[in-house]
Amino acid sequence: MHRVFQFSSSASLEKLTGRRAHNLEELLEIVKSSPDSSIFFHTFSAFRKMSQVHVPYTTDFAAWISTHLDEAALAEKLMAIDLSEYSTIESLRSRLVEIVEGYRSENPAIFQKTANEPFYLYDVVRLVYLTDKFAYDLSSFRQLVDTVSIDSLYYHFIESRLHTKLETDDFSNWIEENDQHRDLAERIRSLDINIYTLEELRTKIIQLIDDHLENHRNNESKAD
Amino acid sequence: MSIPKLSDYKAVVGRDVVEELYILASHVGNRSIKMVNSTAVGGGVAEMLHRVVPLLNELGIATTWDVIKGGADFFDITKAFHNALQGKEGHFGEEVFKTYLAYNEMNYHELEFEEDLIVIHDPQPAAMIHWKKNRKNRWVWRCHIDMSHPNQQLWEFLRPYVEQYDGAIFSSPLFSPELNITQYRFYPSIDPLADKNRDLEAAYVEGVLEKYEIPTDKPIITQISRYDPWKDPVGVIEAFKMARKYVDCRLLMVGDKAADDPEAEEILAKVNDAAGDDPDIKIIFLLNSIPTEINAFQRASDVVLQKSLREGFALTVSEALWKHRPVIGGAVGGIPAQIIHGYTGMLVHSVEGASLQIRTLLKQPELAKRLGDNGHQRVKDEFLITKLLKRYLLLLVALDHPGQPTILME
């Protein structure tokens, strides 16, 4: 028996902070001192930028470092961060600082190189709100995952990890409440959020649920 | 065609997007907005307000729109302000400021400001806030122009008025000056159901090409832009001529010129000179463009160029991307926000770069299609009017919770 899952959603309004970085030293200072909401916005930017198409850079930091400073190696290091491993902004920020400072110790001169365009720091105001979509069991949940907005999907599968400081997403968290579905929850939790678009994640989740439900049906008919 | 309803947008942006707007609006509740600008017709701001105001009302946000009044002297001044705020040098006498303030005061007394949120568009009515004492509602200044390098004398005059607002909205961090109030970013947007962007019958597109005597025997490269040096029309012709050595094609240039631009005739002459008597180059000069014809030109194009050297936001890029066209854009102003190089179009920095990308896109139709499709998706995610509606809903809530990074709506 599942408790009812009410889908939430979120939306963000971007704020211009007036802060900008012209080189890596200034970017490092920004990463160290900007609000959590700014770090979150710039790190998870790719999900919001293109919901259905792969973009070359998963974070704004990497995009700027590669495009405007021509430091592809550092951009790659930042993009390789496994976002699912960080359940707080502080831990994510520390990892960003660690990578950039590590790069500085190997390439100190590069830190003074001026970018051809500055990095503009944004902040966001986030609104989190309930929707009128309710799932009562795995089947109704599957139907709703297929039709809820991309913002709702983003909230439950990406954003809530940091919101709830859990190293998991809302979906697998809810699914595993039912012992029969623990393996499905594990498979959903294992989806690599670093390499898929939101729409691809939606398709993957639905496919995993469909496979799981079909296996259940097959097992039940064998038992009969 | 009748004015589209919000439900009509489901077919183009998706049912989930429209439903999400209604859900968000239900949390925002019964709120009201007044928009104020300086003209009811002409220009991008009025065009946008004509669509946004009824759609916000459909979402349950009681939204009205007032237009300030003024004599020719006022609008001469505000035109000069507009240019100066975009960087044009010059000096303004005290009388100019007095006249500007007198009209703002007059308009303030003629209008009422009882709504929850007052959105003042652009510099013309910006000082009205000065006369509103002990206000309980929120006022926001929406600046649609590039203020990154404003005329300092004018900015020192206007800034104390702007800083009385609860917030300001700019289209990009590239365009915003330093201010001590909260600044929000609202990307400009296009209306997918407007005549300039809605689907057209193939026969209509063919009819427009016939009307303007544009043959369809070769691929068509198009730039639709005002004849202005910053749009680099001569550079477009040079890029086309370089590319045509490798791939047969036609160039279509469509544009008008600003009525108050004394350099326009000179630029058009330069464009005609650069084109010479080349039969593959068609130059169309429009006094009053018809939106569905602009739409048809874009849809008939194999590649769309926006080879600007300096730009505002350049929504012409979003218009072309929405129609799945592969776009080559100059890497300036708001164009890189719309074009992710190699993914949603191509960014260029030179005539040679533009020429190479024309060749690439005409020779690699699969790549051109992919860029066009990705570009359509980018516009769908970020630059449609439905996103603008969402931003206004969010703004209503955000202004009630200053300094709060996350707002949980019960």
Side-chain angles (χ1 to χ4, degrees):
Chain A
M1 192 66 182
H2 263 126
R3 72 184 158 89
V4 173
F5 186 95
Q6 183 175 10
F7 283 80
S8 291
S9 192
S10 80
S12 297
L13 188 62
E14 295 89 358
K15 293 199 291 185
L16 306 174
T17 64
R19 292 185 68 187
R20 49 191 73 175
H22 300 87
N23 56 40
L24 281 173
E25 202 66 60
E26 291 176 7
L27 183 75
L28 186 59
E29 183 52 36
I30 275 181
V31 171
K32 285 179 177 174
S33 62
S34 57
D36 285 359
S37 41
S38 290
I39 295 290
F40 184 85
F41 173 77
H42 287 295
T43 308
F44 289 85
S45 57
F47 287 105
R48 285 278 163 108
K49 200 170 275 179
M50 296 286 278
S51 61
Q52 293 183 27
V53 180
H54 288 276
V55 290
Y57 306 103
T58 52
T59 82
D60 288 340
F61 300 123
W64 179 73
I65 287 167
S66 181
T67 308
H68 299 299
L69 274 173
D70 204 21
E71 288 299 323
L74 178 56
E76 286 172 6
K77 288 173 194 287
L78 293 176
M79 285 198 294
I81 293 176
D82 183 353
L83 297 175
S84 64
E85 286 181 2
Y86 298 90
S87 58
T88 66
I89 294 288
E90 265 326 293
S91 59
L92 180 60
R93 187 200 303 271
S94 298
R95 182 68 185 132
L96 290 168
V97 168
E98 188 184 9
I99 289 172
V100 179
E101 286 186 337
Y103 199 76
R104 178 170 59 184
S105 64
E106 291 168 16
N107 312 276
I110 287 166
F111 268 63
Q112 300 308 322
K113 189 162 83 178
T114 303
N116 52 22
E117 274 184 32
F119 176 88
Y120 295 97
L121 182 76
Y122 285 93
D123 198 356
V124 286
V125 185
R126 289 170 59 235
L127 254 71
V128 179
Y129 48 95
L130 294 166
T131 74
D132 56 357
K133 319 279 183 201
F134 296 87
Y136 303 95
D137 55 23
L138 195 55
S139 294
S140 59
F141 178 81
R142 182 252 181 261
Q143 297 305 324
L144 287 168
V145 169
D146 196 18
T147 57
V148 293
S149 72
I150 207 76
D151 294 325
S152 184
L153 191 78
Y154 174 78
Y155 173 74
H156 286 296
F157 206 66
I158 307 295
E159 201 173 65
S160 66
R161 292 164 195 257
L162 291 151
H163 188 55
T164 57
K165 295 188 169 44
L166 294 171
E167 288 178 7
T168 182
D169 60 280
D170 284 349
F171 292 164
S172 56
N173 208 28
W174 178 75
I175 289 169
E176 75 178 356
E177 285 179 8
N178 184 326
D179 286 343
Q180 286 188 313
H181 304 320
R182 280 187 179 276
D183 52 336
L184 170 64
E186 189 49 45
R187 279 196 289 276
I188 289 177
R189 187 177 297 133
S190 301
L191 284 172
D192 188 345
I193 62 170
N194 299 280
I195 61 168
Y196 295 119
T197 66
L198 279 175
E199 283 299 347
E200 284 171 342
L201 284 170
R202 190 202 299 265
T203 305
K204 294 272 177 198
I205 293 166
I206 291 169
Q207 188 61 53
L208 287 173
I209 298 172
D210 284 348
D211 291 348
H212 179 82
L213 289 172
E214 192 178 340
N215 283 341
H216 256 256
R217 276 192 296 272
N218 290 340
N219 290 339
E220 280 171 7
S221 56
K222 277 180 197 165
D224 290 343
Chain B
M1 189 182 169
S2 60
I3 294 174
K5 300 281 183 198
L6 198 49
S7 56
D8 296 326
Y9 288 83
K10 287 179 184 173
V12 285
V13 302
R15 174 179 291 275
D16 60 324
V17 171
V18 175
E19 280 181 2
E20 185 86 4
L21 282 174
Y22 277 110
I23 291 169
L24 185 53
S26 72
H27 286 286
V28 174
N30 294 323
R31 309 299 297 274
S32 55
I33 300 178
K34 182 192 287 292
M35 306 282 190
V36 181
N37 82 324
S38 64
T39 175
V41 288
V45 178
E47 195 178 308
M48 180 273 295
L49 287 173
H50 274 294
R51 299 300 311 121
V52 165
V53 170
L55 293 172
L56 281 171
N57 277 293
E58 271 198 67
L59 285 168
I61 308 298
T63 307
T64 55
W65 171 17
D66 284 332
V67 177
I68 59 165
K69 294 171 187 161
D73 52 345
F74 176 63
F75 289 111
D76 284 347
I77 287 169
T78 57
K79 177 73 188 169
F81 277 17
H82 182 101
N83 291 333
L85 289 172
Q86 295 203 105
K88 190 173 179 183
E89 290 181 8
H91 184 82
F92 296 93
E94 279 305 308
E95 280 307 308
V96 168
F97 295 141
K98 277 185 188 166
T99 305
Y100 170 80
L101 292 176
Y103 275 107
N104 266 259
E105 184 177 11
M106 180 196 85
N107 277 289
Y108 170 78
H109 290 297
E110 288 191 3
L111 301 175
E112 290 184 357
F113 301 97
E114 300 303 320
E115 292 76 2
D116 298 314
L117 172 62
I118 310 297
V119 184
I120 304 291
H121 292 264
D122 281 336
Q124 298 92 335
M128 284 198 303
I129 191 171
H130 176 69
W131 287 275
K132 181 72 178 173
K133 305 297 179 196
N134 304 317
R135 61 190 166 84
K136 293 187 175 67
N137 53 2
R138 309 286 178 186
W139 286 53
V140 169
W141 186 51
R142 173 48 168 128
C143 180
H144 296 268
I145 60 180
D146 178 352
M147 292 243 326
S148 53
H149 300 93
N151 174 304
Q152 281 305 305
Q153 184 213 3
L154 178 57
W155 184 226
E156 287 312 310
F157 164 72
L158 278 179
R159 185 183 180 132
Y161 297 100
V162 169
E163 290 187 337
Q164 292 177 42
Y165 284 82
D166 297 290
I169 303 170
F170 291 90
S171 301
S172 160
L174 297 170
F175 302 161
S176 70
E178 280 188 25
L179 285 170
N180 67 5
I181 56 173
T182 305
Q183 296 186 34
Y184 300 93
R185 183 195 70 186
F186 278 32
Y187 278 141
S189 62
I190 63 166
D191 183 349
L193 299 182
D195 282 346
K196 207 191 271 184
N197 299 308
R198 66 181 168 84
D199 282 344
L200 295 175
E201 298 284 338
Y204 177 81
V205 176
E206 287 164 17
V208 171
L209 296 181
E210 268 179 38
K211 174 182 168 185
Y212 289 94
E213 299 176 337
I214 303 162
T216 54
D217 54 336
K218 301 174 186 178
I220 299 173
I221 315 298
T222 304
Q223 174 153 308
I224 300 175
S225 226
R226 197 172 61 241
Y227 290 108
D228 167 331
W230 296 117
K231 312 296 182 191
D232 199 17
V234 173
V236 168
I237 292 170
E238 288 171 358
F240 163 75
K241 286 184 171 175
M242 287 167 73
R244 197 183 40 183
K245 291 177 189 165
Y246 302 89
V247 52
D248 202 11
C249 51
R250 292 185 184 279
L251 175 64
L252 169 63
M253 298 186 71
V254 183
D256 53 12
K257 66 177 178 67
D260 57 350
D261 184 355
E263 293 176 355
E265 290 300 334
E266 193 184 327
I267 293 150
L268 194 56
K270 281 184 184 167
V271 170
N272 282 321
D273 272 356
D277 54 2
D278 191 324
D280 288 336
I281 300 177
K282 178 82 177 175
I283 294 170
I284 299 175
F285 174 69
L286 298 168
L287 287 174
N288 291 302
S289 61
I290 299 168
T292 45
E293 290 189 351
I294 298 296
N295 186 342
F297 290 138
Q298 287 168 330
R299 288 180 189 278
S301 304
D302 294 89
V303 173
V304 171
L305 280 170
Q306 187 60 59
K307 207 203 123 356
S308 305
L309 303 172
R310 193 170 148 181
E311 253 311 343
F313 202 79
L315 273 179
T316 48
V317 169
S318 277
E319 289 168 10
L321 292 175
W322 178 247
K323 299 168 183 94
H324 296 262
R325 299 298 94 194
V327 179
I328 300 168
V332 292
I335 294 176
Q338 301 165 79
I339 295 180
I340 302 168
H341 181 65
Y343 285 77
T344 67
M346 295 296 193
L347 291 174
V348 295
H349 305 79
S350 64
V351 167
E352 290 78 3
S355 159
L356 187 63
Q357 296 302 351
I358 292 171
R359 288 159 57 189
T360 302
L361 294 178
L362 290 183
K363 291 277 193 184
Q364 298 188 47
E366 300 85 7
L367 171 64
K369 181 176 185 319
R370 191 165 71 242
L371 295 183
D373 291 346
N374 288 352
H376 173 83
Q377 188 60 43
R378 173 87 180 118
V379 175
K380 190 173 176 182
D381 281 342
E382 204 63 72
F383 303 109
L384 293 186
I385 193 169
T386 38
K387 189 77 183 216
L388 181 60
L389 297 173
K390 190 172 195 174
R391 290 193 166 106
Y392 274 116
L393 295 175
L394 293 170
L395 182 65
L396 276 164
V397 179
L399 288 167
D400 286 344
H401 300 79
Q404 207 170 313
T406 301
I407 302 163
L408 300 173
M409 308 289 285
E410 297 300 331

